[in-house]
Amino acid sequence: MSAGAGLAGVVAGETAISTVEADGRGLRYRGYAIEDLAAHARFEEVAFLLLYGELPDRRALADFEARTARLRAPPAAVTAILDALPGGVHPMDALRSAVSVLGAVEPERGFEGQEAVAERLLAVLPALLLHWYTRIDTGIAPRSAADGAGLAEAFLRMLHGRTPPPTHRRALEVSLILYAEHEFNASTFAARVTASTRADLHSCITTAIGTLRGPLHGGANEAAMAFLDPLADPDAAEAAVLDALRAHRRVMGFGHRVYRGEDPRSALIKPWSRRLAAEARDERLFAVSERVEAVMRREKGLFPNLDFYSASLYRFLGIPTALYTPLFACARMAGWAAHVIEQRRVGRLIRPLARYTGPAPRPYVPLEARG
Ligand code: ACO
């Protein structure tokens, strides 16, 4: 492995959007601690902060919420293509395709209106996802995009067809806030590379969704649930973790490139998972998750990242496992757009160098002479 493998420890650019504090002890969005945002802010406040650089006042927030609620309905040209996708496709594939088609149907014409395009994407992504999911997977007619509500409530209303209880709405909102932004993570960096070529916003977001899909990144919340689902009780969890580690398999939802200790986001999402477990009178999933956490800490010194307790939380919210990663994408859309806008201001093509490890120079041998 070369010193630069995975660009670990490499400072690859500058950003004013968020920062992981020294030794991974905290995370701030534009200077605000995630603890404060998770305790007090609405998701739309955070999305506004990321996109525009400052927290909105009452009026600006109301305008932003009204604008994004109005922008939620997906265009028929895109839903028609979603309807034509085969039933078994992964929702991340559907979402990636939808954004790509949206870029053809509603192209970004110049960068002057980039904030409006970002708002449109932020609003429409969950509606596109749920249009596709409720139609294909359950065979029922798509539910209308729930307008007049923030992203968390709209998502739960579109999914379940009813207004969510306040604790469910807030739990999802906290999760969306924590998922909204994370410095130069893989999908954001990928989006910035695309942005650096002066490509349109839809191309940048399509790139980001493709990068988020993998199990080492956003796909980990889904993979964590797949691991937790068959575990009957904490003792079974202990055995399953030890088996996985013996077989040198990774336990998804643990470890992080920039947090070698605790992921500060995990400490904020875990209490919500505990609270909803109690409300649901769950006696298995939360207890099993805690045992997995204890064994990973004891055996490997590894801590849960944001994805781990998000998995059980989403289960308690009645969100199907296949929607975990696309829901992450709906939240991260705010951070991706902020980074694309920032990268466009930098204006310089991202094109690093590679250290060559291939064959030494050699003469071309014509095909006839190769036999
Ligand atoms: N389970 C078991 N062992 C692990 C895990 C894990 N989840 N994560 C890291 N390790 C081990 C590795 O096997 C390695 O051990 P070794 O030195 O004995 O070979 C050591 O810890 C270091 O691992 P690296 O892969 O070098 O760490 P890196 O910084 O490259 O990886 C990553 C970070 C990809 C997140 C890794 O911890 C991982 O694969 N975790 C599981 C996937 C996951 O949860 N991803 C979500 C990230 S957070 C997010 O996207 C919101």
Side-chain angles (χ1 to χ4, degrees):
M1 204 189 275
S2 84
L7 296 179
V10 172
V11 174
E14 295 183 347
T15 184
I17 300 168
S18 71
T19 186
V20 174
E21 292 183 291
D23 303 325
R25 268 176 309 199
L27 173 64
R28 285 174 187 269
Y29 298 168
R30 298 204 184 268
Y32 295 104
I34 52 165
E35 287 75 13
D36 289 336
L37 297 172
H40 306 295
R42 294 191 45 128
F43 172 74
E44 279 66 26
E45 269 180 84
V46 171
F48 187 101
L49 170 71
L50 295 170
L51 279 175
Y52 296 104
E54 295 296 337
L55 284 170
D57 59 19
R58 258 179 231 278
R59 174 79 186 271
L61 179 62
D63 287 352
F64 181 69
E65 288 184 333
R67 270 200 314 275
T68 45
R70 270 200 308 277
L71 290 170
R72 226 180 272 300
V78 182
T79 54
I81 286 177
L82 284 176
D83 293 346
L85 290 178
V89 307
H90 191 281
M92 281 298 273
D93 296 341
L95 195 64
R96 191 191 57 225
S97 308
V99 172
S100 183
V101 177
L102 190 72
V105 173
E106 299 177 0
E108 184 182 30
R109 301 186 198 281
F111 296 167
E112 310 74 42
Q114 59 185 353
E115 286 83 5
V117 178
E119 289 185 2
R120 167 63 164 159
L121 278 160
L122 191 65
V124 79
L125 242 58
L128 287 168
L129 174 69
L130 288 175
H131 171 92
W132 176 82
Y133 185 81
T134 54
R135 187 172 182 103
I136 298 299
D137 270 28
T138 64
I140 58 170
R143 299 189 175 109
S144 66
D147 51 5
L151 198 157
E153 182 170 340
F155 186 90
L156 291 172
R157 265 166 55 186
M158 285 188 278
L159 180 63
H160 298 312
R162 56 177 187 276
T163 301
T167 49
H168 285 204
R169 185 192 60 69
R170 185 59 196 162
L172 182 57
E173 190 153 61
V174 170
S175 153
L176 297 175
I177 289 170
L178 298 175
Y179 269 133
E181 162 59 14
H182 207 206
E183 203 219 32
F184 275 19
N185 62 89
S187 57
T188 299
F189 191 65
R192 287 189 76 126
V193 172
T194 306
S196 82
T197 71
R198 304 197 181 161
D200 62 293
L201 189 54
H202 300 88
S203 295
C204 301
I205 302 307
T206 308
T207 301
I209 294 173
T211 309
L212 186 71
R213 191 189 191 310
L216 294 192
H217 191 8
N221 52 14
E222 199 177 317
M225 198 66 238
F227 182 80
L228 293 169
D229 249 340
L231 306 175
D233 55 40
D235 288 346
E238 174 130 7
V241 174
L242 293 176
D243 272 0
L245 296 181
R246 258 195 303 274
H248 301 289
R249 284 195 309 272
R250 288 180 184 223
V251 178
M252 294 305 173
F254 284 85
H256 200 279
R257 174 62 65 76
V258 299
Y259 303 116
R260 291 310 185 187
E262 288 182 63
D263 177 341
R265 302 167 301 170
S266 179
L268 297 172
I269 207 63
K270 182 177 174 181
W272 280 102
S273 178
R274 176 186 283 120
R275 181 167 169 183
L276 265 55
E279 275 185 19
R281 298 192 205 298
D282 162 76
E283 290 185 351
R284 182 194 72 86
L285 185 53
F286 189 76
V288 156
S289 303
E290 279 205 302
R291 181 68 74 86
V292 172
E293 178 184 1
V295 179
M296 285 299 282
R297 182 186 290 221
R298 186 186 75 213
E299 297 293 323
K300 294 285 291 184
L302 285 172
F303 295 88
N305 56 51
L306 173 58
D307 280 335
F308 187 66
Y309 281 102
S310 298
S312 48
L313 174 69
Y314 286 0
R315 172 62 54 82
F316 298 131
L317 292 173
I319 298 170
T321 310
L323 297 186
Y324 289 12
T325 314
L327 185 51
F328 179 168
C330 292
R332 186 57 60 86
M333 182 56 228
W336 287 335
H339 278 273
V340 168
I341 291 169
E342 187 178 62
Q343 183 62 44
R344 285 173 171 179
R345 272 191 222 115
V346 175
R348 190 113 201 263
L349 180 73
I350 296 177
R351 200 300 188 190
L353 297 176
R355 191 166 58 77
Y356 179 67
T357 60
R362 47 186 168 163
Y364 176 75
V365 181
L367 185 58
E368 315 79 72
R370 272 179 267 151

